[in-house]
Amino acid sequence: MKTTFSIIKADVGGTPGHSTVDQRLMDVANEKLKEAKESGLIKDFFVTHCGDDLELIMTHDKGEDNEEIHALAWDVFTAATEVAKELGFYGAGQDLLKDAFSGNIRGMGPGIAEMEFTERKSEPVVAFLMDKTEPGAFNLPIYRIFADPFNTAGLVIDPNLHHGFVFEVWDIKEHKKVLMETPEEMYDLLALIGAKSRFVIKRVFPKEGGKLPANEPVAVVSTEKLFQIAGEYIGKDDPVAAVRAQSGLPALGEVLEPFAFPHLVSGWMRGSHNGPIMPVGIKDAKCTRFDGPPRVVAIGFQVKNGMLTGHADLFDDPAFDYTRRRAMEIADYMRRHGPFEPHRLPMEDMEYTTLPKVMDKLKERFEEV
Ligand code: 13P
Ligand code: 13P
Ligand code: MG
Ligand code: MG
């Protein structure tokens, strides 16, 4: 029997503004998922948040894109939205872009990262949850985990990792995908994923002939783009990812290591600014300064027979204090640019914000030169 690890998330209302998720919304999610566990629909679950995003982490044996699991998540989000509306929370139901559920939650607003795999004797899985950024924010860390020997010592010294991995990259503008192998094609891969607003890593697979089945993903990232669904800016596509670790895969510490560098991501303040991503524990997953800076939370689990047998809030650790300090120095530096690029996103990316409305107003005043 295979296990499916599903992270499904949505912003159903922030308190206050876009800062964080109220405990009462998480209580709704916990209650509903507890019922689903008791009824046998899911095996186990963990409810948390990153910034204003409500995060449902579930294990089950129903596979990816399962209608019942997606309906359950939709039901949780609509119930939590009701409470958010009653309490007047900000942007209540923000990410629920469709009125009625019709078989699959993809394309309806929530973000989804799911992978089905054969459990190993011991199965560590890390759930990464980001707020105030976009799916491409995972390109750099996922690349470094699975392809950078300066990050992942195992790529050099463990024969099980030595032959590399396969990256599934999506062109989210053209709706196409390509498979690329590392280390052979790492320069080509970087040529694509360096353009993170367009090319995003969707999955990573082991190569044929290794210790793990080549058709079962070892990492997956949510790639939903809200503006493509809604046709206008309504919030950023705050992404999530799941990454498996150890025994033929990067070690847990190699999976966390890229986050010691607070790389620049887009999506801060009104989805319109670049800023550093700051790794934090759940207690600090609250977006404040200039609605940020963008945050990432890492919850590590052990999965056994579909159950979440243990977990830890991995960035809630002094080992990441220095990164957080650096992130705030970079945040300060970026903020000093005010409305200027490259703090503000380039015009092309601003198309999906409210800026075109301002440009419209000025249109008539331009003269030929
Ligand atoms: P309001 O105009 O509703 O304040 O929205 C601004 C904002 O927070 C962008 O998401
Ligand atoms: P969220 O996408 O997290 O709701 O943030 C919207 C925003 O514009 C914050 O400034
Ligand atoms: Mg919000
Ligand atoms: Mg958010």
Side-chain angles (χ1 to χ4, degrees):
M1 183 68 80
K2 290 188 188 181
T3 293
T4 312
F5 189 90
S6 297
I7 313 176
I8 308 187
K9 49 112 344 203
D11 178 346
V12 293
T15 318
H18 295 285
S19 64
T20 189
V21 175
D22 188 274
Q23 184 59 44
R24 283 164 285 185
L25 303 192
M26 289 191 280
D27 291 345
V28 171
N30 270 308
E31 255 165 58
K32 292 237 168 222
L33 294 188
K34 188 163 165 269
E35 282 166 26
K37 182 176 170 178
E38 280 161 7
S39 78
L41 175 57
I42 56 173
K43 289 207 166 152
D44 214 345
F45 67 93
F46 187 87
V47 171
T48 189
H49 77 103
C50 181
D52 62 358
D53 292 291
L54 176 59
E55 318 273 356
L56 314 180
I57 298 165
M58 300 173 283
T59 48
H60 53 93
D61 56 13
K62 309 244 172 330
E64 296 164 22
D65 278 328
N66 178 270
E67 183 168 343
E68 284 177 279
I69 300 296
H70 285 202
L72 169 65
W74 187 258
D75 180 41
V76 171
F77 294 143
T78 45
T81 295
E82 284 313 308
V83 176
K85 279 184 179 158
E86 272 165 39
L87 298 170
F89 291 165
Y90 197 74
Q94 177 180 288
D95 288 356
L96 307 189
L97 304 181
K98 301 281 158 85
D99 292 333
F101 181 76
S102 58
N104 193 310
I105 204 166
R106 273 180 213 284
M108 301 188 72
I112 305 121
E114 294 185 295
M115 55 182 177
E116 186 184 36
F117 52 83
T118 309
E119 275 183 30
R120 295 165 294 164
K121 191 168 67 196
S122 177
E123 187 64 60
V125 183
V126 183
F128 289 103
L129 319 167
M130 290 182 174
D131 191 32
K132 305 299 180 266
T133 185
E134 59 171 5
F138 275 110
N139 282 6
L140 185 148
I142 297 287
Y143 171 81
R144 296 199 68 198
I145 293 165
F146 290 99
D148 181 2
F150 280 74
N151 179 85
T152 297
L155 291 169
V156 179
I157 64 180
D158 179 353
N160 289 316
L161 272 79
H162 213 87
H163 56 297
F165 291 92
V166 180
F167 286 74
E168 178 183 324
V169 177
W170 283 17
D171 177 341
I172 51 178
K173 295 217 165 115
E174 296 288 324
H175 305 282
K176 289 182 174 160
K177 63 177 183 179
V178 60
L179 293 175
M180 302 191 99
E181 304 204 343
T182 56
E184 303 89 308
E185 299 182 290
M186 64 192 267
Y187 297 160
D188 291 328
L189 174 65
L190 286 166
L192 297 182
I193 63 173
K196 62 185 172 41
S197 62
R198 171 152 178 194
F199 296 99
V200 298
I201 298 170
K202 178 68 194 177
R203 294 185 182 84
V204 180
F205 293 95
K207 276 189 185 160
E208 291 287 348
K211 212 175 155 183
L212 284 92
N215 59 349
E216 295 183 3
V218 293
V220 63
V221 180
S222 68
T223 50
E224 282 65 33
K225 293 294 277 184
L226 294 181
F227 75 84
Q228 290 179 342
I229 304 166
E232 61 173 346
Y233 179 73
I234 44 121
K236 209 58 189 173
D237 328 291
D238 306 319
V240 291
V243 180
R244 298 165 64 200
Q246 308 284 162
S247 315
L249 296 175
L252 180 74
E254 291 167 338
V255 169
L256 301 180
E257 180 64 10
F259 295 93
F261 169 58
H263 65 291
L264 292 174
V265 300
S266 71
W268 193 3
M269 183 46 86
R270 296 169 185 268
S272 308
H273 294 79
N274 285 310
I277 188 135
M278 184 160 80
V280 291
I282 297 170
K283 71 176 186 350
D284 297 316
K286 177 172 67 193
C287 292
T288 54
R289 184 173 175 191
F290 203 53
D291 279 1
R295 315 257 161 153
V296 56
V297 162
I299 318 288
F301 296 94
Q302 285 296 146
V303 181
K304 186 70 180 174
N305 299 327
M307 303 299 288
L308 301 170
T309 53
H311 74 268
D313 183 357
L314 296 164
F315 291 146
D316 180 19
D317 180 49
F320 287 90
D321 280 351
Y322 175 66
T323 308
R324 291 189 272 267
R325 241 206 113 66
R326 255 183 109 189
M328 286 320 299
E329 279 162 16
I330 297 163
D332 224 58
Y333 172 83
M334 295 302 282
R335 279 303 301 127
R336 293 279 294 272
H337 293 81
F340 285 79
E341 298 175 10
H343 182 27
R344 198 177 78 185
L345 301 189
M347 278 312 257
E348 192 193 328
D349 293 331
M350 295 298 290
E351 266 176 52
Y352 311 111
T353 70
T354 43
L355 185 69
K357 290 179 185 154
V358 177
M359 300 304 280
D360 263 0
K361 212 174 61 185
L362 297 174
K363 210 167 51 189
E364 300 302 317
R365 296 185 38 199
F366 278 89
E367 294 169 29
E368 292 299 326
V369 283

